[in-house]
C-alpha cells in the first residue's frame, strides 16, 4: 500500500473571537516552534486566514479554509471564492463538511463543483464524507461513504494533491468514536471507492479520520491501516490538546 505523509488538520469551525482567539493564537505560535513528523494545518474562519498566515509565516504549518463557493466571482452575497481563500493565504480548503451538508443542504454534486473551483484556484481540497447514526445503525456506512466518494470527487482530481476525510457524523463533537475495526473497514471501502472513481489517481491521497480525535485516542487511530491523518475539531482549539495529537503521529 502506498502511503503519503500523514496530515493533521485543525478545523476551528466558527471559533476564534475574544478568549478563543487568544487561545488559538497561542496554539499557532506554539505550533510554529514545533517540529512534526507530519504535515500540520490550521483551518480558521475565513476572517482569520490572512491573520493566521501572517502569524505562521516562515514556519511549516499550513493554512486552510473551511469552505469556498463553486463560482469564481459574481453576485453571491456572503460567499467567498476559492481564489479569495487562496489569496488570503490558504493552501488547503475543507469541502463538504457534514455541518455544511446538513446545515446548508450541500449535495455531493455541490461538493464536486467546489472541488473543481478549489483545484482551479490552486487549493488542495480536503473532501469530507461520513454516515449518520441512523445510516450506521442500518448497516449502510460503507454504502453511504462509497456513494459520497463517487459523487463528491470529480475525475479531474486524479493526479492532483487532495485528501478525503472520513468523519462519521455521530462522532463529531460527541466524544464517541467508531471502533478501530470500524474505522479500518470504512477506510478500506473509501480507498476502494477512490480507486474505482479515479483509477491509479485514487491510490495515494491520504484518507483522514475525523470525529472526537483527542490526544488519548490519536495514536491508536492514526495507526489503523489507511488512516492517513486526522481532521480535528474541538481539540484543535487548545494548544496542549492539538500538540498532543501531533506528537502521537
Ligand atoms: O468536525 C470535525 C470533528 O470535530 P471534533 O470536535 O473533533 O469531534 C472535523 O471536521 C474537524 O473539525
Amino acid at each position: 500500500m502506498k502511503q503519503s505523509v500523514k496530515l493533521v488538520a485543525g478545523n476551528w469551525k466558527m471559533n476564534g473571537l475574544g478568549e478563543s482567539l487568544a487561545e488559538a493564537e497561542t496554539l499557532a505560535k506554539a505550533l510554529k516552534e514545533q517540529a512534526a513528523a507530519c504535515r500540520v494545518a490550521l483551518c480558521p474562519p475565513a476572517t482569520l486566514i490572512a491573520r493566521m498566515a501572517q502569524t505562521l509565516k516562515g514556519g511549516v504549518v499550513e493554512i486552510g479554509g473551511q469552505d469556498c463557493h463553486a463560482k469564481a466571482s459574481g453576485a453571491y452575497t456572503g460567499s467567498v471564492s476559492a481564489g479569495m481563500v487562496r489569496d488570503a493565504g490558504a493552501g488547503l480548503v475543507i469541502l463538504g463538511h457534514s455541518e455544511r451538508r446538513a446545515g446548508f443542504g450541500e449535495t455531493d454534486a455541490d461538493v464536486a463543483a467546489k472541488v473543481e473551483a478549489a483545484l482551479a484556484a490552486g487549493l488542495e481540497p480536503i473532501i469530507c464524507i461520513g454516515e449518520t447514526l441512523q445510516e450506521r445503525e442500518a448497516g449502510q456506512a460503507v454504502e453511504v461513504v462509497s456513494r459520497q466518494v463517487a459523487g463528491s470527487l470529480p475525475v479531474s482530481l486524479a493526479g492532483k494533491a487532495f485528501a478525503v476525510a472520513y468523519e462519521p457524523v455521530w462522532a463529531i463533537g460527541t466524544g464517541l468514536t467508531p471502533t478501530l475495526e470500524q474505522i479500518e473497514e470504512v477506510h478500506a471501502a473509501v480507498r476502494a471507492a477512490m480507486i474505482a472513481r479515479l483509477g491509479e489517481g485514487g491510490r495515494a491521497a491520504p484518507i483522514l479520520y475525523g470525529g472526537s480525535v483527542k490526544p488519548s485516542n490519536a495514536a491508536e487511530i492514526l495507526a489503523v491501516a489507511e488512516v492517513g491523518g486526522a481532521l480535528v475539531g474541538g481539540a484543535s482549539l487548545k494548544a496542549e490538546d492539538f500538540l498532543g495529537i501531533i506528537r502521537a503521529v
Side-chain angles (χ1 to χ4, degrees):
M1 177 181 60
K2 191 178 168 196
Q3 275 283 16
S4 46
V5 62
K6 290 194 195 302
L7 167 64
V8 176
N11 175 9
W12 287 357
K13 307 192 180 187
M14 200 171 72
N15 295 295
L17 191 64
E19 272 181 33
S20 77
L21 176 57
E23 175 79 29
E25 290 217 290
T26 302
L27 163 64
K29 284 174 188 152
L31 275 177
K32 201 173 165 183
E33 310 301 323
Q34 174 75 28
C38 58
R39 288 176 68 197
V40 179
L42 288 178
C43 304
T47 51
L48 290 178
I49 291 176
R51 180 169 171 159
M52 285 301 142
Q54 187 60 33
T55 301
L56 293 164
K57 202 172 172 180
V60 294
V61 180
E62 302 172 53
I63 304 283
Q66 298 177 10
D67 182 44
C68 69
H69 199 278
K71 300 284 185 196
S73 63
Y76 303 102
T77 302
S79 297
V80 176
S81 74
M84 291 168 179
V85 172
R86 174 91 183 140
D87 186 54
L92 304 107
V93 64
I94 298 169
L95 296 172
H97 192 283
S98 63
E99 287 153 14
R100 295 210 56 91
R101 290 178 186 262
F104 297 86
E106 286 188 11
T107 63
D108 288 338
D110 294 331
V111 177
K114 291 182 175 201
V115 172
E116 299 272 23
L119 293 178
L123 289 171
E124 180 177 340
I126 301 174
I127 305 149
C128 300
I129 57 172
E131 82 284 1
T132 61
L133 184 59
Q134 196 182 13
E135 290 162 341
R136 161 66 60 181
E137 289 177 344
Q140 297 168 343
V142 163
E143 179 191 328
V144 168
V145 297
S146 301
R147 190 177 64 231
Q148 289 175 325
V149 167
S152 306
L153 274 58
V155 289
S156 56
L157 269 176
K160 305 274 173 43
F162 71 99
V164 171
Y166 167 55
E167 303 201 298
V169 178
W170 51 274
I172 295 178
T174 60
L176 302 172
T177 53
T179 64
L180 300 180
E181 291 73 22
Q182 288 170 330
I183 293 175
E184 183 167 357
E185 180 196 24
V186 176
H187 276 239
V190 170
R191 177 66 70 201
M194 288 165 67
I195 293 169
R197 178 74 174 145
L198 305 174
E200 285 305 302
R203 213 173 271 283
I207 305 169
L208 317 184
Y209 169 79
S212 295
V213 178
K214 45 194 177 223
S216 59
N217 63 17
E220 60 180 14
I221 291 174
L222 287 159
V224 172
E226 286 290 11
V227 173
L231 187 52
V232 184
S236 73
L237 287 159
K238 295 197 182 83
E240 199 181 319
D241 288 352
F242 198 52
L243 288 168
I245 292 168
I246 290 162
R247 289 188 197 113
V249 176

